[in-house]
Amino acid sequence: MRSSADTLSLSWLPPEKPNGVILDYEIKYHERGKAMSHTVTSQHSSAKVEGLRAATPYVVQVRARTVAGYGRYSNPMDFSTSLHSDPQKSVQDQLPLIVGSASAGLVVIVALVVITVVCLKKQRSGSELEYTEKTAAVHFSGGQSLHRPFHLLRTPTTLSTSSPKRSTSPA
């Protein structure tokens, strides 16, 4: 027997000496301590009783039916429903949600990694550009700086930083 909050799943062996071919089984159950019972039938030696109350003790008995009629009920079996629904069924019902959430989480992680790599590459190339611009600035003694593209720079020895000399001879 296996039970959840509202269901009992049970199975049994057929009687050792049935009085003919078994047509079906009758399952009788009731809450322990209460006289009112319910019955269900099954064509097989297993059944599922649904619509039970959670965290409640029950008593179950089974009997077979042949062409000759019903046999004797089995000895009473006690069981209790659980407080919560079947955990195995619950996991099976939630499996698509679990897989979907895991997939979405993986996509988010991959996206964060890609964004981080792109940002780091931009930051690295930005700092290289800044370094290039700093080396391209040429400072003169007059406090002026000249910004030129790196390939157009001349060495400081080829640049004249002094004022041109004027001729002082009378004209």
Side-chain angles (χ1 to χ4, degrees):
M1 266 189 269
R2 200 171 95 192
S3 66
S4 68
D6 63 351
T7 304
L8 166 67
S9 298
L10 60 127
S11 61
W12 56 89
L13 295 172
E16 291 179 17
K17 297 179 184 178
N19 191 13
V21 176
I22 296 174
L23 301 174
D24 59 13
Y25 295 92
E26 182 181 77
I27 300 99
K28 179 173 76 169
Y29 64 97
H30 64 275
E31 289 184 33
R32 188 179 309 137
K34 296 196 176 181
M36 187 173 147
S37 65
H38 306 277
T39 59
V40 294
T41 58
S42 174
Q43 301 295 317
H44 308 285
S45 61
S46 63
K48 188 180 237 185
V49 180
E50 298 178 313
L52 305 176
R53 292 184 2 173
T56 305
Y58 285 89
V59 177
V60 176
Q61 292 178 289
V62 178
R63 68 180 177 176
R65 183 175 70 97
T66 65
V67 177
Y70 284 103
R72 290 186 343 214
Y73 274 111
S74 66
N75 292 329
M77 296 289 296
D78 292 330
F79 77 96
S80 292
T81 52
S82 63
L83 185 58
H84 303 289
S85 65
D86 184 7
Q88 184 177 3
K89 183 179 178 187
S90 178
V91 169
Q92 289 174 349
D93 291 343
Q94 294 177 0
L95 191 59
L97 179 64
I98 293 169
V99 170
S101 298
S103 299
L106 183 62
V107 167
V108 168
I109 290 171
V110 168
L112 288 174
V113 168
V114 168
I115 290 169
T116 302
V117 168
V118 168
C119 288
L120 287 174
K121 281 188 176 184
K122 282 188 177 184
Q123 183 181 13
R124 193 173 294 144
S125 66
S127 63
E128 288 173 2
L129 179 62
E130 186 180 309
Y131 176 76
T132 303
E133 286 178 355
K134 283 182 180 178
T135 57
V138 179
H139 296 280
F140 292 96
S141 61
Q144 297 176 343
S145 47
L146 175 66
H147 292 282
R148 294 188 182 177
F150 190 71
H151 66 279
L152 297 177
L153 287 179
R154 296 185 197 150
T155 59
T157 57
T158 60
L159 293 176
S160 172
T161 59
S162 59
S163 302
K165 292 186 180 183
R166 293 189 177 186
S167 164
T168 54
S169 57

